[in-house]
Amino acid sequence: MSENNYKVQRNLWENPWGYVESFFIGFGLLVTGFFLEMFVASDTPFTISYPYNIVFLVGYIIILFILYKWFSTTQLIRWLTKVPASISSIVLVTLLVMIMGIIPQIPSESNFINNLGLNHITSNWAFLLIVFQFLTCLGLISIKRILQFKWSNFGFILNHVGLFLALVSGMLGTGDLQRLSINVYEGEPSWIATDAKKNKVELPFAFYLNDFVIEEYHPKLALVDNKTGSIAHNNGKNLYLVNEGETYYFQNFEVTINKFLTSAGRIGDQYFPVNELGSPPAASITVKNTKNDSIQNAWISSGSFRYPYESLKISEEYSVVMTIPEVKKFSSNIDILTKEGERISTVLEVNKPFKFKGYKIYQLSYDEKMGKWSNLSVLELVKDPWLPVIYIGIFMMIAGAIYMFWVGNKITKN
């Protein structure tokens, strides 16, 4: 046998470490993490906030630099800068993310899931340890390429440093993320918000609600089974918008909308337009039974918190009802009052936040029982000071990808 054909079989844990050792270490970190989750972890997720997260980040980067600069020849550091260590950590992170997609991230009835923390993967010790290994690989590789800088590696550096910043900022920023809600009533200034644990938080500014406005769709007509109270099937057409002058058909019934009032009050046997608190929509309808040509005329209403609903019983089996109007849009006309005496006016709508002093202010909810007559607006305030750093990391990755594409295209042409 020639020397070229002779192959020496490498023993486990022999230098250099490969994929087998890498996955062995990774699974060891998973087991350690699940052990910590079962016997050490508390109900409160582990987070660090300002200024300790800044100190941790700076210290972590300094330690990575020292490890590469003076300990790069050791077996462990050499392994962390190689492909097997990165690939194994990526595979295991992906595995945990898949588990997160399969198992609902809410309290579970299964003790097994609760004890292993599989219902809160992102704060699970196993996940944190694997991600920490991946970040260490990423940081050491980035430092290696930076210290051995070449323009041909510029895109690689942008990609890896950008990913490192985005991941580290996303994890360390959890402790500084602030999500609050505040109830604001018309004509009253409000500055005391509450967090997820119902703790009170005093804001550095106040809200003053000038007006809360709800726009609604027209209510709908429905045929209801008198025995079950459920909406009857009508060949897939069992709900119709209430529009004046329209005629609809429910089985053998012909229903015509004679008159529709968006805000009405009953006077005697009729409804008239009124503009009072709790005045519901109402409609005058004519129902014709096409089997026996009998005709009924009546007013129906969806009702409100103040007035009961009114329906029309058209047979022993069915009644015609008007559903509660669905909300099309709701918004708050508010003033933001600062301690310096400023007064900033804005209109908040759903999914259209207003940015102020590091907060994103969202229109969240209202008093649903009162409906469009609600004088309460519930706002949500979100403050994430690490978000710009995450964006910087993402833009660096995009720039690195563009640079690598440009260089690769240039090399191909040459």
Side-chain angles (χ1 to χ4, degrees):
M1 183 181 293
S2 65
E3 185 177 352
N4 292 335
N5 294 330
Y6 180 73
K7 183 177 180 180
V8 178
Q9 185 175 2
R10 190 177 65 85
N11 295 322
L12 191 65
W13 301 112
E14 184 179 335
N15 184 32
W17 293 348
Y19 286 99
V20 175
E21 292 86 351
S22 299
F23 277 101
F24 189 88
I25 293 172
F27 282 114
L29 290 175
L30 284 181
V31 172
T32 303
F34 288 131
F35 179 85
L36 291 172
E37 196 68 32
M38 290 179 65
F39 299 104
V40 179
S42 63
D43 295 334
T44 304
F46 174 75
T47 57
I48 53 176
S49 55
Y50 179 85
Y52 303 107
N53 47 14
I54 297 290
V55 174
F56 176 84
L57 178 58
V58 173
Y60 181 49
I61 294 174
I62 292 174
I63 290 173
L64 290 178
F65 181 82
I66 292 173
L67 289 175
Y68 180 77
K69 188 68 177 176
W70 285 283
F71 298 92
S72 59
T73 56
T74 62
Q75 178 63 26
L76 179 62
I77 304 305
R78 289 180 62 188
W79 169 71
L80 287 170
T81 58
K82 300 299 181 181
V83 173
S86 299
I87 294 297
S88 63
S89 57
I90 291 173
V91 170
L92 294 176
V93 168
T94 304
L95 175 64
L96 292 175
V97 171
M98 291 173 62
I99 293 175
M100 182 173 65
I102 296 171
I103 299 177
Q105 301 298 289
I106 56 176
S108 174
E109 296 179 358
S110 170
N111 290 330
F112 176 79
I113 292 176
N114 288 329
N115 291 336
L116 290 182
L118 299 178
N119 53 355
H120 54 88
I121 290 292
T122 54
S123 59
N124 189 301
W125 276 105
F127 181 81
L128 295 177
L129 289 176
I130 293 296
V131 170
F132 182 74
Q133 180 203 329
F134 175 66
L135 287 174
T136 301
C137 294
L138 198 60
L140 288 171
I141 293 171
S142 300
I143 291 172
K144 177 181 178 180
R145 292 299 181 99
I146 291 172
L147 295 179
Q148 301 174 0
F149 181 78
K150 295 179 182 179
W151 280 110
S152 58
N153 291 331
F154 184 62
F156 180 94
I157 293 172
L158 283 176
N159 272 327
H160 285 64
V161 174
L163 181 57
F164 181 84
L165 281 178
L167 289 177
V168 169
S169 301
M171 296 183 67
L172 295 181
T174 306
D176 292 331
L177 176 63
Q178 195 175 32
R179 190 180 297 273
L180 308 171
S181 64
I182 184 170
N183 295 338
V184 185
Y185 292 89
E186 287 186 7
E188 298 179 14
S190 302
W191 62 91
I192 303 297
T194 56
D195 60 16
K197 297 180 180 179
K198 304 301 179 183
N199 298 319
K200 293 184 178 180
V201 179
E202 184 175 345
L203 298 174
F205 47 84
F207 294 103
Y208 187 89
L209 180 60
N210 298 306
D211 191 22
F212 179 74
V213 179
I214 288 184
E215 296 181 20
E216 296 178 329
Y217 292 102
H218 281 196
K220 297 177 181 178
L221 281 185
L223 192 67
V224 172
D225 189 304
N226 292 331
K227 294 181 180 179
T228 63
S230 60
I231 295 177
H233 293 287
N234 187 41
N235 298 323
K237 298 179 181 179
N238 47 16
L239 291 172
Y240 295 95
L241 278 177
V242 177
N243 289 315
E244 193 169 303
E246 294 289 341
T247 298
Y248 304 115
Y249 296 90
F250 293 99
Q251 298 184 13
N252 59 301
F253 298 100
E254 181 183 283
V255 183
T256 302
I257 312 298
N258 303 315
K259 194 172 185 179
F260 174 63
L261 304 175
T262 56
S263 179
R266 177 177 275 281
I267 302 176
D269 59 351
Q270 294 189 50
Y271 276 88
F272 294 90
V274 296
N275 188 19
E276 296 179 352
L277 184 68
S279 299
S284 170
I285 63 172
T286 297
V287 180
K288 180 180 179 181
N289 189 328
T290 56
K291 286 186 176 180
N292 54 27
D293 290 333
S294 62
I295 295 177
Q296 292 177 275
N297 293 293
W299 283 88
I300 61 173
S301 172
S302 62
S304 68
F305 71 93
R306 188 175 178 184
Y307 297 101
Y309 78 94
E310 291 193 50
S311 61
L312 174 61
K313 185 178 181 180
I314 56 177
S315 69
E316 291 299 322
E317 294 84 13
Y318 300 111
S319 294
V320 175
V321 301
M322 179 187 291
T323 64
I324 297 174
E326 295 178 5
V327 175
K328 180 192 299 185
K329 172 184 174 183
F330 57 95
S331 59
S332 297
N333 184 336
I334 64 168
D335 291 339
I336 302 176
L337 314 176
T338 67
K339 294 180 179 179
E340 295 76 24
E342 291 182 278
R343 194 181 190 101
I344 298 97
S345 298
T346 186
V347 176
L348 293 178
E349 298 179 9
V350 178
N351 297 327
K352 293 182 180 180
F354 180 75
K355 296 180 181 179
F356 185 73
K357 290 193 174 182
Y359 287 95
K360 279 188 176 182
I361 306 168
Y362 294 85
Q363 174 68 68
L364 183 62
S365 184
Y366 58 95
D367 187 344
E368 296 183 2
K369 181 180 178 181
M370 296 288 290
K372 67 178 180 181
W373 302 280
S374 173
N375 64 344
L376 164 67
S377 177
V378 183
L379 309 181
E380 183 181 49
L381 296 88
V382 180
K383 189 175 186 179
D384 188 359
W386 288 78
L387 192 59
V389 184
I390 296 175
Y391 285 149
I392 290 172
I394 293 173
F395 289 138
M396 288 179 68
M397 287 189 286
I398 295 173
I402 294 173
Y403 181 84
M404 293 173 72
F405 176 78
W406 177 72
V407 171
N409 189 43
K410 187 176 180 180
I411 292 174
T412 302
K413 287 183 179 180
N414 290 337

